[in-house]
Amino acid sequence: MTEIVQKIKTIRWQHLLILLLMVAVAAGMDSCSTSGKLTKKERKAQIEAAKKQLEEIINGTTTKTLEQQERTVNDIARKNLNDKDLNAMIDEARQVLKEKFADQEKIRQQKVDAARAQLLD
């Protein structure tokens, strides 16, 4: 038992700590190597994916809720992909969502009015 304690005491903890620190720094540098810019191929793929999502929203074929659709449109707009067709689709999708929200509010208001009329009668 005393031999084990002796060996533990002889380990140079400073060297071990420095080695672990160097490994952590080296591992962290790999994640910082990208410049953050998209290649043309990646940008084109993102634009196509965004257009597909926006088409579903515009055509009303998506299964997402209105809030999720709005979040999707805002996320796409925040990416600033600077594509003329995509920007037009974003505007169109926002207009469609605005109309859907207005219709939803109109239906809700009609239900409230109907319930209020029933209570007053």
Side-chain angles (χ1 to χ4, degrees), residues 5-94:
V5 172
Q6 282 287 5
K7 286 187 179 186
I8 290 175
K9 288 183 179 179
T10 59
I11 295 177
R12 296 192 175 162
W13 293 103
Q14 291 112 358
H15 291 274
L16 186 60
L17 184 63
I18 290 172
L19 182 64
L20 286 173
L21 207 62
M22 287 176 21
V23 168
V25 168
M29 290 191 128
D30 283 343
S31 65
C32 296
S33 63
T34 61
S35 65
K37 295 195 176 196
L38 297 173
T39 64
K40 289 181 181 180
K41 197 175 196 180
E42 291 171 334
R43 183 177 180 277
K44 186 175 180 180
Q46 281 192 356
I47 289 173
E48 290 304 315
K51 283 182 179 180
K52 184 179 176 191
Q53 289 177 330
L54 291 173
E55 281 178 15
E56 290 176 352
I57 292 171
I58 292 168
N59 297 333
T61 58
T62 186
T63 58
K64 296 179 179 179
T65 65
L66 287 178
E67 290 78 14
Q68 290 172 332
Q69 292 177 32
E70 185 178 37
R71 196 174 315 119
T72 300
V73 171
N74 290 335
D75 289 344
I76 292 170
R78 246 183 261 119
K79 289 181 183 178
N80 292 329
L81 295 172
N82 296 330
D83 183 71
K84 198 182 333 180
D85 294 334
L86 184 64
N87 290 340
M89 289 179 78
I90 289 171
D91 291 339
E92 187 176 353
R94 283 184 173 156

Side-chain angles (χ1 to χ4, degrees), residues 91-108:
D91 291 339
E92 187 176 353
R94 283 184 173 156
Q95 189 63 34
V96 167
L97 287 175
K98 186 177 179 181
E99 291 169 4
K100 286 182 181 180
F101 275 118
D103 289 343
Q104 188 180 43
E105 179 61 26
K106 186 177 178 183
I107 291 170
R108 188 192 68 77

